Amino acid sequence: MTTIAQADFIQSIADALQHISYFHPLDYIHALGDAYEKEQSPAAKDAIAQILTNSRMCAEGHRPICQDTGIVVVFLKVGMDVRWDATMSVQDMVNEGVRRAYLQPDNVLRASIVADPAFTRKNTRDNTPAVVHVEIVPGDTVEVKLAAKGGGSENKSKFAMLNPNDSIVDWVIKTVPLMGAGWCPPGMLGIGIGGTAEKAMLMAKESLMEHIDMTQLKARGPQNKIEELRIELCDKINALGIGAQGLGGLSTVLDVKIFDYPTHAASKPIAMIPNCAATRHAHFTLDGSGAATLPVPSLSDWPNVTWRPDVNAKRVDLDTLTPQIVATWTAGDRLLLSGKLLTGRDAAHKRIADLFAKGEELPEGVNFTNRVIYYVGPVDPVRDEAVGPAGPTTATRMDNYTEMMLAKTGLISMIGKAERGPVGLEAIRKHKAAYLMAVGGAAYLVSKAIRSSRVVAFEDLGMEAIYEFEVEDMPVTVAVDAAGSNVHETGPREWKEKIRHLPILAG
């Protein structure tokens, strides 16, 4: 009989969440390093370099890899012979571990969880509660697999009830392009096949905790049908040419994981969930001997890649920006932004829309005329930081507000991650504005370009308040220019064609 102490369990959860906030799993780093070496698309190679540089900076500085520090998901296998020395429920112990991790003063993590999701969506301020799955198994240990799952990748989850004879490959290859790039590729895809609807989703999520081993699998060759399917899907997804950040390139996925389970004769449930460039998960076992410890990687484990600004990048003074200057930008241009910009994401846009609907003005101090808005919810600063990690959020979520912002506020450009949808693109073309893309998964690197930060409106929204940032040489790419040219359309199309003529690169 093993006794697991409440204090040890809580401390293990807290320590693991801090650990994964700044240490990428080394299997991911090695796989991404290999992808960097093979990549031939300059835009994709630049994006991967930013992600790798950001990762090493976070490992050195013990600060979050991404500003979205995720929703905590925990899979527990509790041995039947385990005894708990605890007064709290398992759910409450996990929540207490989350609370301690996210409020840790030396490395504050962003609180992203909102309660009352259908209505008030009020932030819980400590990132609780976690999503906990418990399985009772033979044995006398507690096996813990936990992850901090980013919203951008989680929002791209897909599910279908296929007919028994429908092709899994056809569904996946048709569906992946519909996910866009808001999940920050290159990353992993987890797939669950069989069971029931909820079982398939659960398997897809848990499969993302597995070790990245596609290179090793191809080297030794598949040993069963599932491994054959993994290789086929990985190659065919990469042949789509979507590439890093959706810019077009050779690597869209680093691995595809598949779990399956028996299902009803009339059914073939299938779920697909991506893991982003900030993939964060840990696995440990408690045996009653104390709190768990996770191995600390050496900085020498990171590839020797250091991102530097493109020597041909155009320098932009945000404080003197005009529509005429914006009109000179061309899709694909690299820019280095300096000066002041405003931030705003989902909740702030909703507040602004509500003000306009009531015939009211913007809050005092908020003036978007000839300015740029950055879609971001930053991490709180620690020590001498102006702001914590502050990477972009998915821009498509602001598409329905884009016409309002461009028509009514004087805004002339926006910064986010991934592609824009049809509604957003139409508004950008109509108003001859521009959409600039920052790299998702490089939040700490981006934050180093932010020299000062202050809240100017909606302080009660926490990380979703409107901030004013003063930036210096903030790197972005013109994703959609004033003429409507769009790199998220042209890049993948170009690289899909290139890969078709170089089939050896698809593998």
Side-chain angles (χ1 to χ4, degrees):
M1 179 74 71
T2 297
T3 299
I4 305 296
Q6 176 174 293
D8 291 340
F9 183 78
I10 292 172
Q11 191 63 50
S12 299
I13 296 291
D15 289 348
L17 290 171
Q18 275 284 313
H19 185 96
I20 64 175
S21 77
Y22 44 74
F23 288 137
H24 260 129
L26 287 181
D27 58 314
Y28 175 80
I29 289 301
H30 294 155
L32 191 61
D34 290 344
Y36 175 83
E37 293 300 325
K38 296 174 184 175
E39 187 56 68
Q40 296 184 21
S41 161
K45 201 172 185 77
D46 180 85
I48 295 173
Q50 288 195 44
I51 295 168
L52 287 169
T53 301
N54 180 79
S55 177
R56 190 174 63 249
M57 289 171 61
C58 294
E60 289 177 312
H62 285 199
R63 291 296 272 143
I65 295 163
C66 181
Q67 79 288 338
D68 181 355
T69 49
I71 182 170
V72 177
V73 182
V74 182
F75 290 88
L76 298 174
K77 290 187 177 181
V78 180
M80 294 178 180
D81 294 327
V82 165
R83 175 185 175 276
W84 291 94
D85 180 12
T87 58
M88 301 167 69
S89 70
V90 169
Q91 176 75 55
D92 287 344
M93 285 190 286
V94 171
N95 288 344
E96 179 59 26
V98 173
R99 186 174 295 110
R100 293 184 189 182
Y102 279 72
L103 299 179
Q104 214 282 331
D106 288 337
N107 183 40
V108 178
L109 307 181
R110 196 184 80 180
S112 302
I113 305 307
V114 295
D116 191 23
F119 301 105
T120 60
R121 297 183 67 84
K122 186 176 181 180
N123 198 299
T124 64
R125 299 288 183 173
D126 59 9
N127 225 58
T128 66
V131 177
V132 182
H133 306 284
V134 181
E135 183 180 357
I136 305 299
V137 299
D140 60 357
T141 61
V142 175
E143 182 182 335
V144 182
K145 289 191 273 189
L146 89 175
K149 190 66 164 62
S153 60
E154 189 70 3
N155 289 349
K156 301 300 182 179
S157 302
K158 301 295 181 183
F159 173 80
M161 293 297 292
L162 301 182
N163 293 318
N165 294 322
D166 286 347
S167 167
I168 291 170
V169 173
D170 287 351
W171 180 81
V172 170
I173 299 307
K174 177 185 72 175
T175 303
V176 167
L178 303 179
M179 291 162 51
W183 60 281
C184 291
M188 294 171 64
L189 283 183
I191 295 175
I193 305 169
T196 52
E198 81 282 4
K199 179 65 174 178
M201 293 297 286
L202 201 60
M203 290 189 293
K205 179 62 64 65
E206 189 171 7
S207 74
L208 293 174
M209 312 278 190
E210 294 293 293
H211 192 81
I212 294 175
D213 64 351
M214 181 55 65
T215 299
Q216 295 88 335
L217 173 58
K218 288 182 176 182
R220 70 162 168 79
Q223 297 178 346
N224 53 54
K225 291 292 186 181
I226 288 292
E227 291 185 346
E228 289 178 7
L229 182 58
R230 285 178 56 200
I231 293 173
E232 180 181 6
L233 288 174
C234 188
D235 288 349
K236 288 185 174 179
I237 291 167
N238 283 333
L240 294 171
I242 295 168
Q245 305 289 303
L247 295 169
L250 302 181
S251 292
T252 302
V253 290
L254 303 176
D255 204 342
V256 175
K257 297 297 184 183
I258 302 175
F259 283 0
D260 67 349
Y261 195 83
T263 192
H264 192 285
S267 305
K268 189 190 280 186
I270 183 165
M272 182 164 61
I273 304 178
N275 230 359
C276 61
T279 181
R280 293 161 298 208
H281 60 88
H283 184 179
F284 58 87
T285 300
L286 298 176
D287 59 7
S289 61
T293 57
L294 295 174
V296 176
S298 167
L299 292 176
S300 63
D301 291 319
W302 269 256
N304 186 24
V305 176
T306 301
W307 176 83
R308 291 181 177 84
D310 189 325
V311 295
N312 297 313
K314 299 178 180 179
R315 296 188 180 275
V316 175
D317 182 352
L318 295 172
D319 299 329
T320 60
L321 192 62
T322 64
Q324 291 73 29
I325 294 172
V326 170
T328 67
W329 299 342
T330 301
D333 282 352
R334 308 276 175 79
L335 308 180
L336 294 173
L337 308 180
S338 296
K340 293 179 179 178
L341 54 75
L342 294 172
T343 77
R345 40 178 284 161
D346 311 68
H349 281 75
K350 177 66 165 58
R351 286 273 180 93
I352 292 171
D354 290 346
L355 288 174
F356 287 156
K358 292 184 289 187
E360 298 179 9
E361 300 294 323
L362 291 171
E364 184 178 351
V366 177
N367 183 357
F368 286 106
T369 302
N370 286 348
R371 299 190 75 178
V372 175
I373 191 170
Y374 183 22
Y375 302 147
V376 63
V379 176
D380 288 342
V382 298
R383 298 181 287 280
D384 59 349
E385 293 177 341
V387 68
T393 198
T394 307
T396 50
R397 299 203 312 275
M398 268 53 73
D399 278 354
N400 289 337
Y401 298 106
T402 303
E403 170 63 26
M404 173 194 74
M405 294 295 291
L406 295 177
K408 294 186 177 183
T409 72
L411 187 73
I412 56 176
S413 187
M414 300 143 282
I415 306 169
K417 76 171 182 182
E419 73 286 345
R420 302 306 298 257
V423 172
L425 288 171
E426 176 57 30
I428 292 167
R429 293 186 183 111
K430 174 182 174 182
H431 293 279
K432 300 189 184 310
Y435 167 58
L436 314 176
M437 192 207 78
V439 172
Y444 196 39
L445 175 65
V446 171
S447 74
K448 296 304 181 184
I450 301 170
R451 301 305 184 214
S452 67
S453 168
R454 66 185 183 96
V455 175
V456 295
F458 311 146
E459 186 172 7
D460 62 296
L461 295 179
M463 60 94 175
E464 293 208 72
I466 295 180
Y467 294 77
E468 183 179 71
F469 288 169
E470 184 165 3
V471 301
E472 182 178 340
D473 289 346
M474 177 179 174
V476 296
T477 298
V478 179
V480 183
D481 63 26
S485 182
N486 181 0
V487 297
H488 286 106
E489 293 175 353
T490 58
R493 184 167 62 239
E494 173 190 347
W495 281 92
K496 183 177 182 179
E497 185 66 14
K498 286 184 177 181
I499 292 170
R500 191 170 70 84
H501 289 95
L502 296 169
I504 189 170
L505 293 178

